[in-house]
Amino acid sequence: MSESRNVVIVTGIPGVGKTTVINTAVDKVKAEHDEEVLVLNFGTEMFSTASERGLVKDRDEMRKMETAKQREVQRLAGESIAEKAKDARVIVDTHTLIHTNNGFLIGLPEWVIRAISPKTIVLVEADPEKIALRRSDDPTRSRDEQASEAIDTHQRMCRAAAVAGGTLTGATVRIIKNRQGKVEQAGTELADTIME
Ligand code: AP5
């Protein structure tokens, strides 16, 4: 690895296709470089902590918990992820801003982002209209319904939050567009970022 840091944080608002882009990139890295990438999902880590404590029954309930509880579970998940991300090439799948009942919760507060010390923070973005459609077409989750304008505002604010994370850690910030039907292209850009 030419870079001493080994973690890429991948963010994107719900419905943008973040997980699909990550899976595409991991497959490309395996096929083209014969290397494994460890994917650590922040939501899964939080869900395991929150469900063990009887706080939630599914992952979509987490952003509706009391803010103080979300912060506490977030801190525990951040510590666990930072520990697991010490070796290998790692993607941390998470959010820069979570839309809660009490405004936006910062997904990567100082103590989390400093512990992870990423080389790059990626923002996966898509057209707000397409995000609204991808959410309503997903029967497996209870996704929030939001007007395109609110989705657009959320994506713009995520850019600001990603830059704040870069300012604290020296990480680069990269925007990857997940255009409709073009997930391969987005996956190639992410694979290049992982292998940089
Ligand atoms: P998380 O686990 O990240 O869930 P999520 O936000 O719903 O995101 P996913 O990765 O499941 O889905 P996605 O929307 O990116 O897209 P998908 O690939 O499925 O977070 C869960 C919860 O954990 C959060 O709500 C929060 O409470 C908590 N959390 C996480 N991190 C936190 C943090 N740091 N601090 C505090 N709380 C935190 O794709 C969606 C659909 O689009 C699919 O049907 C797919 O086929 C389709 N699609 C994708 N790409 C394309 C394309 N190019 N063209 C056409 N269709 C496409």
Side-chain angles (χ1 to χ4, degrees):
M1 270 184 271
S2 52
E3 248 284 1
S4 58
R5 300 189 192 195
N6 62 334
V7 181
V8 175
I9 294 184
V10 181
T11 68
I13 71 171
V16 77
K18 174 170 55 81
T19 299
T20 312
V21 173
I22 289 172
N23 292 342
T24 307
V26 169
D27 289 347
K28 276 185 190 290
V29 169
K30 177 73 187 157
E32 290 164 21
H33 303 275
D34 196 24
E35 289 216 29
E36 305 289 339
V37 180
L38 177 64
V39 180
L40 299 171
N41 183 296
F42 209 102
T44 302
E45 203 71 40
M46 280 184 61
F47 179 61
S48 121
T49 305
S51 58
E52 269 165 26
R53 291 163 187 228
L55 297 171
V56 292
K57 290 191 196 66
D58 72 60
R59 59 203 294 122
D60 290 311
E61 281 181 31
M62 291 198 293
R63 59 184 176 272
K64 289 155 190 153
M65 288 190 297
E66 265 174 49
T67 318
K69 288 226 162 54
Q70 290 189 54
R71 248 186 243 117
E72 172 61 8
V73 175
Q74 178 189 54
R75 185 181 62 74
L76 294 168
E79 285 168 3
S80 163
I81 292 242
E83 186 57 36
K84 289 180 189 166
K86 280 190 175 148
D87 305 306
R89 289 186 195 277
V90 174
I91 285 179
V92 176
D93 175 351
T94 187
H95 294 272
T96 50
L97 293 176
I98 295 93
H99 194 228
T100 75
N101 292 338
N102 189 27
F104 288 112
L105 175 75
I106 305 296
L108 298 165
E110 186 186 358
W111 55 92
V112 171
I113 193 128
R114 278 200 203 278
I116 296 175
S117 189
K119 64 173 180 175
T120 303
I121 301 166
V122 170
L123 290 147
V124 179
E125 293 186 352
D127 283 349
E129 294 78 17
K130 297 290 184 292
I131 293 175
L133 273 177
R134 289 175 201 170
R135 284 183 187 175
S136 60
D137 286 350
D138 184 354
T140 66
R141 301 281 300 272
S142 54
R143 307 259 189 203
D144 294 340
E145 267 186 50
Q146 259 186 321
S148 296
E149 199 183 334
I151 291 176
D152 188 42
T153 303
H154 190 173
Q155 285 202 124
R156 285 169 193 268
M157 289 187 66
C158 286
R159 288 187 179 188
V163 169
T167 306
L168 285 170
T169 58
T172 56
V173 174
R174 181 165 190 182
I175 295 171
I176 296 181
K177 296 282 182 194
N178 182 23
R179 295 190 170 82
Q180 194 65 11
K182 302 227 164 118
V183 73
E184 286 292 321
Q185 192 182 321
T188 299
E189 287 183 43
L190 179 56
D192 290 346
T193 304
I194 296 165
M195 293 309 295
E196 186 247 349

